[in-house]
Amino acid sequence: MNEPTNTPMTLLERKATSILQRFYGYSSFRPLQLDIIKHAINGNDCVVLMPTGGGKSLCFQIPALIMDGCTIVVTPLIALMQDQVSALISNGIPAATINSNQSDADNRRILDGIYEGKIKLLYISPERLLIEMERWSKEIKISLIAIDEAHCISQWGHDFRPDYTRLSKIKEVYPDVPIMALTATADRLTRDDIGNQLKLSNPRLFLGSFDRPNISIKVHHNLSASSRFSVICHMIDKYEKDSGIVYCMTRKTAEKLNQKLMESGYRSTLYHAGLSAKARSEAHRQFINGDVQVVCATVAFGMGIDKSNIRWVIHNNLPPNIESYYQEIGRAGRDGANAETILFYNVSDLMVLRNFVDESGQADINREKLNRMVQFAEASVCRRRILLSYFSEQYNHDCGNCDVCSNPPSRFDGTILAQKAISALLRLNQSVGINTLIDVLRGSARADIISRGYHKIKTYGAGRDLSNSEWRDYISQMIMTGIFEINYSEKNRLSITPYGLSIVKNGVTIQLARYVPPLLKQKNKTTKIETLIAPEQQLLFTLKELRSRLSKKYGLPPYMVLSDKSLEAMANKAPIDMSQFCEIEGISEIKAIKYWRPFVTSIRKYKGITQPMPSGQSESETLMLIEKGHSVKFIAEAKNIQETTVYKHIVSLIRNDKLKSFDNIITKQQYLRVMDLYRQHREVMYEILRTEMPQGLPGVALAIADFLLRRKANENK
Ligand code: ADP
Ligand code: ZN
């Protein structure tokens, strides 16, 4: 994708691509990744701006693996460092963290590992780095310093952290080490500030695309609390075996929702900044491990969460700006598989947010940001176009994966509806809120309507033809378009604006967007979905179950075993042997070795294949690893077999003409030495060579000699 196909790859590019395949199981880089990697390896500073899930981590992890020394990764949240490190280790990448949650002895041991050059990536918090940096001797070779969540350094950003400002010291201590600052959110001001604050030298800005096409975007307007709850339940049911997040504006809302979900039998947990550190880390752990289906959270939840298989995100309330919104929905579907997001947009939230904004420090900027958020929520054009244009990105087609694209709102002349509502409210002396107004319009016989005599007014029951939900939506639209106002200080009483009055007095007409009911829970919940779904889906369920068993066995969260995206690919391709298994995207070598057998066995069983696995399986495994450039030592360790067994495989592969290139196995000198001894001292040759080379290698040399003879004979035919 990055390279015009006819330019040959440079050595560095080949090396980076081979690491991408071996350690991550991906076949090609995403746009910019390779440029960023080369830029850093060449010793240059840069600022990388890509959305959450865009693929920033590889940009410093691959240089770390290629360069001499250890790469330092500065990241703000200690609680999450261990996850990031575990994910790397599960792919065979030597990473570690030094932090205050670990014992001094552990930290010292890791430091020793760095001195010995055993650790290629070290995750650390900014405050800890500043302390350690003073102590580290120059003997530690630092290859690169990556600063994640770099927007935290800027006062302009939305998540300023004072500890970050002191990172300017890094350049003083390590003027020659390249720095890579990475963030998913930064407006232009913040972007420039990052480079200045860190004193980067001539930093290049890499601005990635903010598009996340696998995330679907939906906005629901003005749902009642119970409808919102139903939508949430529906989502959980739909992704029964996966997990999602509901973001709430306040701790209280999150608490209530969590309670209600648990009472309804869902596996739900709560996360907000008011909980104890212990409760928070427990919630986090449950979520990461997939023990809960949903976390009800405030915005405090999510930064640095690497869980790649979050299948959905719901905003129970309107976020205050598009940056936060986009970052939060961006936590869904990081593995690239489809994910869904829904935003509930309610007038009452808007009013609360407006008050927050007015009282905030930078009221003008924040008001403008809120307005942009509202425009997004109310828009009737492709939502992704709005989002991407907000991030100054060219995107000139409709996305086909948002609610507007899939269901364009239809508009109708709403003048008569507005007139009914306005005149009812006039007759009610503008003394009621939205619920009572709807009840009057729909002719409710509620006791207090009757006792107050509201049933006697002329418009009582004039709107019987519409449901409560329809009226709620239309009146909310009327509030948003400035026909009514809500008076919060007076029990949310509605009042009519001069514009509203002009509709009944001066014949002004208005348009409304037709109400679309939300997709709710199927009534018939007992229908067994499994029997109705496509075979691939069925297999996917089976594979997910297997993954959860493996996850328990190895004490790793399911997504660290294999990603959802890889499982989906597996369900589609249904590999029935090791080599087919290795073709699946996103499976690193070490994982392929660890997991191919259980998955392939399960797929064969699913497909009803009863013959045993092809024999020589283990040999072809060896072949694949050799072809990918692994050493015999590594192969033996990874497969948990003796090196001599690997050499036996190699001999057999050569004798069967399956292996024809020997660079990684034996050097020319070794080959010549064996052949020399073979000719002159055949009887004692193994005796002599025992101290010179691995035990199985002479056999390999002889097999190569035969191979060369065979080839020559063939050429002469
Ligand atoms: P970010 O740090 O920008 O939020 P990550 O680095 O976590 O994003 O990457 C998001 C997901 O995309 C991860 O699951 C990662 O493995 C995957 N990914 C990254 N680069 C590639 C690539 N070149 N091909 C396929 N998947 C990739
Ligand atoms: Zn769209």
Side-chain angles (χ1 to χ4, degrees), residues 382-384 398-402 405:
C382 171
R383 299 204 194 272
R384 203 172 308 266
D398 286 352
C399 77
N401 196 18
C402 73
C405 282

Coordinates of all heavy atoms in Angstrom, one line a residue, residues 382-384 398-402 405, ligand 2:
C382 N -24.3 12.5 5.9 CA -23.5 11.4 6.4 C -22.7 11.8 7.6 O -21.9 12.8 7.6 CB -22.5 10.9 5.3 SG -21.3 9.8 5.8
R383 N -22.8 11.1 8.7 CA -22.1 11.5 9.9 C -20.6 11.4 9.9 O -19.9 12.2 10.4 CB -22.6 10.7 11.1 CG -24.1 10.8 11.3 CD -24.5 10.5 12.7 NE -26.0 10.4 12.8 CZ -26.8 11.4 12.9 NH1 -26.4 12.6 13.1 NH2 -28.1 11.1 12.9
R384 N -20.1 10.4 9.1 CA -18.7 10.3 9.1 C -18.1 11.5 8.3 O -17.0 11.9 8.6 CB -18.3 9.0 8.4 CG -16.9 8.5 8.7 CD -16.7 7.1 8.1 NE -17.8 6.2 8.5 CZ -17.7 5.4 9.5 NH1 -16.7 5.3 10.3 NH2 -18.8 4.6 9.8
D398 N -20.2 9.5 0.7 CA -21.0 9.1 1.9 C -20.5 7.7 2.3 O -20.0 6.9 1.5 CB -22.5 8.9 1.5 CG -23.1 10.3 1.4 OD1 -22.4 11.3 1.7 OD2 -24.3 10.4 1.0
C399 N -20.5 7.5 3.6 CA -19.7 6.3 4.2 C -20.5 5.0 4.0 O -19.9 3.9 3.9 CB -19.4 6.5 5.6 SG -20.7 6.3 6.8
G400 N -21.8 5.1 4.0 CA -22.6 3.8 3.9 C -22.6 3.0 5.2 O -23.2 2.0 5.3
N401 N -22.0 3.6 6.3 CA -22.0 2.8 7.5 C -22.4 3.7 8.7 O -21.9 3.6 9.8 CB -20.6 2.3 7.7 CG -20.6 1.2 8.8 OD1 -21.6 0.6 9.2 ND2 -19.4 0.9 9.4
C402 N -23.3 4.7 8.4 CA -23.9 5.4 9.5 C -25.4 5.5 9.4 O -25.9 5.1 8.3 CB -23.3 6.9 9.6 SG -23.9 7.9 8.2
C405 N -26.7 7.5 6.3 CA -26.5 6.8 5.0 C -27.5 5.6 4.8 O -28.0 5.4 3.8 CB -25.1 6.3 4.9 SG -23.9 7.5 4.5
Ligands
ZN2 ZN -22.4 7.9 6.4

